[in-house]
Every structure is written in C-alpha cells, then in structure tokens.
C-alpha cells in the first residue's frame, strides 16, 4: 500500500506546489505570491524589459528543483515496493 500512498502524496504535493489560479485570485500583496505566480508577474514585466527573461528562466529552474529532489527521494519507496510485489516466494 506504500507505493499508492507515496504516489498520491507526490501528486498532491505537485498540485499544491504548482497552484496558480487560487493565489492569483485571492492574494493582493505581491510579497505573498508563490513561486509560479511570481514568475508570471516577472514574465509580464519582461514584455517591457527583455532582460528579465533570464531571471524568469533561472526562477523556473529553481522552482522545479525541489520537485525533482522530492521525486528522487521518494523513488526508492516505489522501486523497493514494486519489486517486492513481483517476487514469488
């Protein structure tokens, strides 16, 4: 049952991490924006200042990095439990 719970946890974490619409509607203060919304506002400002594109690309890499790290940490739970179910004893 652990691989299923780990999968649900990972899907839920990614959904919360990439949440865009609810903070966009609810938050009015720019200092409280999550990473995705902050990158969006930087990209909107980048239409007037093209130098912000490199900052947005760097921010996108930094926004994806925790997800990749979490996936690599949780991956061991998938591989151990999936292999243990395939072995007939």
């Amino acid at each position: 049952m652990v691989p299923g719970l780990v999968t649900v946890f990972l899907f839920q974490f990614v959904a919360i991490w990439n949440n865009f619409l609810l903070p966009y509607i609810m938050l009015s203060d720019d200092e409280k924006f999550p990473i995705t919304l902050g990158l969006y506002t930087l990209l909107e400002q980048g239409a007037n200042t093209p130098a912000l594109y490199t900052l947005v690309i760097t921010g996108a890499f930094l926004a994806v990095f925790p997800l990749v790290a979490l996936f690599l940490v949780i991956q061991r739970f998938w591989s151990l439990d999936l292999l243990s179910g395939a072995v007939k004893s």
Side-chain angles (χ1 to χ4, degrees):
M1 204 162 139
V2 174
L5 292 175
V6 169
T7 303
V8 169
F9 169 74
L10 187 64
F11 283 152
Q12 195 66 18
F13 183 80
V14 169
I16 291 170
W17 185 263
N18 290 330
N19 195 4
F20 179 81
L21 188 60
L22 187 64
Y24 185 67
I25 294 171
M26 301 295 252
L27 297 177
S28 60
D29 189 15
D30 292 345
E31 294 179 5
K32 296 180 182 177
F33 282 170
I35 291 176
T36 52
L37 197 53
L39 290 174
Y40 175 72
T41 56
L42 279 177
L43 192 60
E44 280 186 342
Q45 293 173 0
N48 299 331
T49 309
L52 289 178
Y53 282 122
T54 57
L55 187 63
V56 171
I57 291 171
T58 306
F61 172 72
L62 291 176
V64 170
F65 185 71
L67 295 175
V68 172
L70 180 68
F71 179 77
L72 291 175
V73 168
I74 289 179
Q75 185 178 6
R76 66 182 173 148
F77 292 107
W78 277 322
S79 62
L80 289 177
D81 290 331
L82 290 177
L83 289 177
S84 66
V87 176
K88 185 177 180 182
S89 55

